[in-house]
Amino acid sequence: MPTLKINDISVNVEPGTLLLDACAQAGFPVPSYCYHPSLSPVATCRMCLVEVKGQPKLATACTTTAMDGQEVYTNSKSVADGRAGVMEFLLINHPLDCPICDQAGECKLQDYSYQYGSDDSRMVEPKRRYHYEDLGAKIVIDKNRCIHCTRCVRFTREISGGGELIVANRGAHLEVTTYSGRSMDDNPLAGNVVDICPVGALTSRDFRFNKRVWYLKPVPTINRLSPLANPIWADVDQNRLWRFRPRPQGTKLSTQFMFDADRNAWHRYDIDPATRVVAPTLGGKPAKAEDIAAALRAAGTVAVIGQGTFGCDAAQRLGDLASSPDLRYGSGDRLDQIQYPALQLSSDGVINRRGFSERGYRFGHLDELLARVRSGEVKAVVVLHDDVFSSRGETGRIREIMAAATFSLVLEPIPGEMAKAGAATLPVATYLEESDFVVNHDGELRRYQKALEPPRGVKTIAAWARELAGALYGAMA
Ligand code: SF4
Ligand code: FES
């Protein structure tokens, strides 16, 4: 293992470690723009300059490998001068439009300018000007703000593969643009260029001018639409959701980026409270939970159909409602098309199949349950469902089971057709309104925290299930 000194602090690093990472490991993070752990290094921005003893010039930490015995300085005068010079060049054409820029508050140019730049400008010449351009319906580019780090260009070549973005022209006329006005609409990963743009040059049509980011509170949650339940941030303010963003786990590629469809899924959970059903229903009319418990008890043997896209706590509590352990059935058969094998590590779109299976739910046995209901062995079914994760065929099979049963209770966080078909319903919180965890296909435990407060009357799946189980079988731990 190479041992080197960074600002006179000794540090051991793995062979092949970049100086940029070694410096961070030693507690001296180095500023960077063009470097991205998932993209090829280009060393174009020169922001990560460090001094390496014995070398005549400053070195770029993002392309220099840490060597045994090296002495590196990130806090010398020459490094400070180098960074200040780079900042001055980067700001030559950059507009002072932070008050109207979406990136303000999470902009590396703002941060580094404040930390390493000058509070004055020697520029008297007029700045270069472009009109903003739509790169299709999803992305807007403001070239005035671009610092030509080429992260976005490399992303479209190396990760999404479309190569829509290019660097055109030379010198002061350098600009990031698309070939002959191509749009990014066909790129299913387009939104990521907004995340990786270190300044506010690439903005999202969906988020643009909607919210100042310093009002947003990022809450760690998961992407229910990614097969591995990838970690993401849910940005919220005043109990409203504003966007989803990736929450990278180290350099793990599949967590660095997210699909636009997954990113836009936040709209589904931004529910107008006025439209929420906030009371249990029985026979289509508002009812009390006790009435539903009494109806369940009166019906007789209870089976549970739990869709494996909910949390493990929900699965455990819901399972307690089944009259016997073999009456826990799993549902969910969403299959994802693999377009990008490096990002989509499984095609099974049921993120917590493993967690549900570990709690006794049997997947692929709904026909068996239908037969047991038809034979009169099972009288009542409790269904936990989300339309998005079941095919029409599976949804139809569950509806058949419900129709054959004496009594059916549906728990659907976003009520749909299934809720309409149930004899009773309970108003349950969405996954953003509760804290729980899933065990993904790789066996990784992925937690999610409560990001939003549910309306009064709406409870978590686990809370309802516990209440009903108490009424059916006596108080449970
Ligand atoms: S648009 Fe953003 S990501 Fe692309 S080169 Fe310019 S600054 Fe870099
Ligand atoms: S981050 Fe090293 S040169 Fe840009």
Side-chain angles (χ1 to χ4, degrees), residues 45 47 164 166 174 195 360 406 426:
C45 76
M47 194 62 204
E164 300 94 331
I166 57 158
L174 200 75
D195 296 331
T406 312
L426 288 170

Side-chain angles (χ1 to χ4, degrees), residues 67-118:
M67 307 288 279
D68 197 43
Q70 246 173 357
E71 287 184 38
V72 178
Y73 297 94
T74 67
N75 54 6
S76 64
K77 180 167 185 322
S78 60
V79 170
D81 288 347
R83 284 179 189 163
V86 169
M87 282 310 303
E88 190 169 14
F89 274 118
L90 292 177
L91 290 170
I92 278 178
N93 278 307
H94 194 82
L96 274 178
D97 63 353
C98 305
I100 57 147
C101 178
D102 282 290
Q103 191 86 359
E106 53 186 9
C107 176
K108 281 184 149 192
L109 205 58
Q110 272 186 334
D111 295 346
Y112 294 162
S113 170
Y114 186 72
Q115 289 177 56
Y116 309 114
S118 158

Side-chain angles (χ1 to χ4, degrees), residues 42 55 68 76 87 106 134 158 160 168-169 215 221 255 337 341 359 369 388 404 410 431 444 448 451:
V42 286
Q55 289 193 10
D68 197 43
S76 64
M87 282 310 303
E106 53 186 9
D134 285 316
E158 298 168 13
S160 67
N169 302 324
Y215 291 122
T221 185
T255 66
Q337 247 194 331
R359 284 157 186 79
L369 176 59
V388 174
V410 176
Y431 85 107
E444 296 164 321
Y448 50 94

